[in-house]
Amino acid sequence: MATNDANQPALGRQYALQVVHTLRVNIDHTMNGGIVGILPKGAFIIDGAVHVIEGFNDTTADDINVGEGTIGDDEFVSAADANSAATVLFSSEDLDATNRYSADERVVTWGYNDAATGDGTAGRAVITVWYVVDNG
């Protein structure tokens, strides 16, 4: 199977072992939000992070939200400061109980806290969500 197949679904892989699974997406200043990945049924989020590699310099689009469903929702992270290289971590303890676990599949999205003005020339980050599934 090709590893960079554009038709491959964004569904998180699920191994038959008790291991921590990961959703990950690279983002940059030219993007306006999107999908991080799809959490499988029964996934429990244990941790996550917005790793800013290069600070975002758009006048308004410099805070990142991570959530589920609609792009820009902020159930997981709200307005993570992306102006300079840093890491904003979140754990299951930071999340409302209803956002840690769902019996249903969930689409994890990211977006800016405020719409981009389009004057940005720099900004790169990696969004990561670590989760476990019940392999029973």
Side-chain angles (χ1 to χ4, degrees):
M1 173 192 299
T3 57
N4 292 320
D5 184 353
N7 297 315
Q8 189 174 16
L11 179 63
R13 295 182 180 102
Q14 183 171 328
Y15 296 103
L17 303 172
Q18 292 291 347
V19 297
V20 175
H21 299 76
T22 306
L23 294 179
R24 177 181 175 216
V25 66
N26 297 325
I27 65 171
D28 65 42
H29 70 282
T30 65
M31 305 164 89
N32 287 318
I35 295 175
V36 176
I38 302 171
L39 290 169
K41 294 178 182 180
F44 182 88
I45 296 173
I46 55 173
D47 282 310
V50 177
H51 302 280
V52 180
I53 299 165
E54 177 183 15
F56 287 69
N57 66 356
D58 188 279
T59 303
T60 55
D62 56 4
D63 294 325
I64 296 172
N65 294 336
V66 180
E68 61 179 87
T70 305
I71 292 173
D73 283 352
D74 62 358
E75 293 90 354
F76 302 161
V77 171
S78 178
D81 185 2
N83 291 32
S84 59
T87 299
V88 177
L89 298 171
F90 62 93
S91 72
S92 64
E93 295 172 1
D94 300 328
L95 302 177
D96 182 87
T98 59
N99 294 323
R100 293 179 202 158
Y101 170 84
S102 175
D104 299 319
E105 190 174 86
R106 296 184 285 171
V107 177
V108 178
T109 62
W110 74 275
Y112 297 111
N113 198 52
D114 296 307
T117 58
D119 63 354
T121 58
R124 291 185 306 128
V126 177
I127 299 172
T128 310
V129 178
W130 294 282
Y131 63 96
V132 293
V133 295
D134 182 6
N135 292 325

